Amino acid sequence: MAGNKSLNAAIKAKNNEFYTRLEDIENELKYYNEHFKGKVVLCNCDDPRVSNFFHYFSYNFEKLGIKKLITTCYKSQERDLFSMNKSNKAIYLIYEGDKNGKNVPDLEEIGIHQFKGDGDFRSYECIELLKQADIVVTNPPFSLFREYVAQLIEFDKKFLIIGNQNAIHYKEIFPLVKKNEIWTGYTYPKLFRIPDNADGKSIKVIDGIKYQQFGNICWYTNLDIKKRHENLILYKNYNELDNPRYDNFDAIECCPTTNIPCDYDGLMGVPITFFDKYNPEQFEIIGILNHGCDSEYDLAKPILHGKEKFTRIIIRRKQQTTIPMAAEPIEEFKKE
């Protein structure tokens, strides 16, 4: 997909100037309202003066019952979404709710503080702010996703962040997925604002604003959500046509996920998109078929009929998930 190629090129070039639209934040965050009451929220990869994350949380501060909102900025002191990080200093904002009764965040209600350093999320100053936070919500730099997640895990933070769906098979991320320490959210943002002078493929212009279009961006979280406890309905029976066995590993192919059989208890290989429907109470994650050498969980290459397939996740059913046979009609409703 062109969107995926754009993301891969961006990662290689370490281009991290992709900014999240307010509507994409709203579409995902509406499922998490109960998690924010009484909590300190940190957005530590944003220019807080123009960030849509800051906008969302500050304007919904009282509705969500947030205790404190902290947003940080990397090297930018200009009121410009794309300041190119030219400043040597950075700032962070603290908002603790409406004080003057206007029910909107005013400048006099927002505490503006200057970092001594550059505001990098790995800096001592930003780590001190991270320690104060209960939940971290942001769009971290694509090229630093592994390092960013590692820091969240190290400090035992709850989070809701945006990343490449393919990060699931990263050797640093997959062990967290397997141990149910990270999972995907509800929605899949596709458009991100980019600088006006940006060029390349998969760019859309909407109302004079440039956006980069991506194919497989998702939200990652460790906040418990309803869909994580919903069973995937299985309605197909095992058959060799839809479920061939891998050439080099004792598991059957189940791609697309609709081909997961309801009557098979052995190992099954599913695509990464399976995680949109993954319920840890229904399935167990065994390992991954990727390169066969990335980590202890990388079991083999996914080879089928002599051809290497895309990454497959190896799973096994935990419980019976067949659809019960239709019951005999109740006597009074039988047709005469």
Side-chain angles (χ1 to χ4, degrees):
M1 297 176 67
N4 297 343
K5 292 180 181 178
S6 298
L7 178 57
N8 292 333
I11 291 174
K12 290 179 181 178
K14 296 192 175 181
N15 179 3
N16 294 309
E17 285 195 278
F18 303 106
Y19 294 84
T20 314
R21 300 186 305 164
L22 181 60
E23 53 261 54
D24 290 322
I25 296 172
E26 292 173 335
N27 287 341
E28 181 71 22
L29 269 292
K30 66 185 179 183
Y31 296 103
Y32 301 81
N33 288 353
E34 71 277 8
H35 290 286
F36 293 102
K37 186 174 182 180
K39 300 298 173 54
V40 176
V41 178
L42 173 65
C43 307
N44 60 350
C45 293
D46 302 86
D47 185 331
R49 294 151 298 192
V50 290
S51 163
N52 283 324
F53 285 99
F54 180 79
H55 180 97
Y56 177 85
F57 284 115
S58 61
Y59 276 83
N60 289 279
F61 194 94
E62 281 73 27
K63 176 184 175 181
L64 295 172
I66 296 171
K67 180 180 180 181
K68 182 191 293 187
L69 171 62
I70 306 171
T71 56
T72 70
C73 170
Y74 176 67
K75 284 187 177 180
S76 173
Q77 294 189 77
E78 301 297 326
R79 190 176 178 81
D80 176 3
L81 187 59
F82 305 103
S83 57
M84 304 300 292
N85 302 327
K86 291 179 180 178
S87 174
N88 290 323
K89 297 287 185 178
I91 68 164
Y92 64 97
L93 305 188
I94 295 179
Y95 181 65
E96 298 184 86
D98 182 45
K99 307 295 183 185
N100 57 21
K102 294 182 180 179
N103 296 319
V104 293
D106 293 331
L107 286 176
E108 59 268 22
E109 297 173 326
I110 301 172
I112 303 177
H113 307 270
Q114 191 174 82
F115 284 120
K116 294 179 181 179
D118 61 10
D120 189 299
F121 71 86
R122 298 161 292 190
S123 68
Y124 170 80
E125 292 174 295
C126 285
I127 289 175
E128 289 302 304
L129 293 177
L130 177 64
K131 290 177 181 178
Q132 298 179 32
D134 298 303
I135 305 175
V136 178
V137 184
T138 194
N139 177 3
F142 289 150
S143 66
L144 298 174
F145 187 79
R146 295 170 172 88
E147 192 170 354
Y148 187 82
V149 171
Q151 185 186 79
L152 294 176
I153 298 299
E154 177 185 355
F155 288 93
D156 194 25
K157 295 301 174 181
K158 295 295 184 182
F159 57 85
L160 178 60
I161 61 175
I162 291 175
N164 181 358
Q165 193 176 16
N166 285 329
I168 288 170
H169 70 68
Y170 294 171
K171 63 181 179 181
E172 299 88 351
I173 303 299
F174 184 76
L176 304 176
V177 173
K178 185 178 185 303
K179 292 184 287 187
N180 291 311
E181 294 181 9
I182 185 172
W183 46 87
T184 57
Y186 284 88
T187 61
Y188 294 82
K190 296 187 180 300
L191 294 176
F192 292 83
R193 187 178 171 184
I194 56 178
D196 294 336
N197 61 355
D199 55 16
K201 297 180 179 179
S202 302
I203 290 179
K204 281 192 172 184
V205 179
I206 303 175
D207 296 330
I209 298 175
K210 279 188 175 182
Y211 296 92
Q212 181 73 55
Q213 184 173 4
F214 292 116
N216 62 344
I217 302 297
C218 67
W219 293 84
Y220 288 97
T221 188
N222 59 355
L223 296 167
D224 197 25
I225 49 179
K226 182 179 179 181
K227 81 163 194 173
R228 187 166 158 75
H229 302 284
E230 296 174 347
N231 275 354
L232 173 63
I233 301 300
L234 308 177
Y235 58 90
K236 285 189 175 182
N237 291 321
Y238 166 74
N239 69 87
E240 293 183 359
L241 181 63
D242 290 334
N243 307 120
R245 196 166 297 276
Y246 296 108
D247 298 357
N248 58 332
F249 188 79
D250 190 15
I252 62 171
E253 167 84 327
C254 300
C255 183
T257 54
T258 52
N259 282 349
I260 297 176
C262 61
D263 58 349
Y264 189 84
D265 294 323
L267 299 184
M268 300 175 281
V270 293
I272 287 177
T273 52
F274 163 80
F275 281 100
D276 185 50
K277 306 170 182 65
Y278 171 53
N279 175 353
E281 297 154 7
Q282 183 183 17
F283 294 100
E284 175 186 5
I285 297 174
I286 304 300
I288 187 170
L289 300 185
N290 196 24
H291 302 297
C293 59
D294 274 358
S295 71
E296 62 180 299
Y297 303 111
D298 190 358
L299 306 172
K301 290 184 177 181
I303 299 176
L304 191 65
H305 304 318
K307 295 183 179 180
E308 186 171 344
K309 311 295 285 186
F310 290 109
T311 299
R312 295 291 188 260
I313 309 299
I314 299 300
I315 63 170
R316 180 165 47 205
R317 285 195 304 136
K318 279 187 174 182
Q319 60 189 46
Q320 284 296 110
T321 54
T322 55
I323 301 176
M325 298 294 291
E328 184 71 16
I330 299 174
E331 191 69 30
E332 60 184 290
F333 291 108
K334 286 184 177 179
K335 292 182 179 181
E336 294 182 359

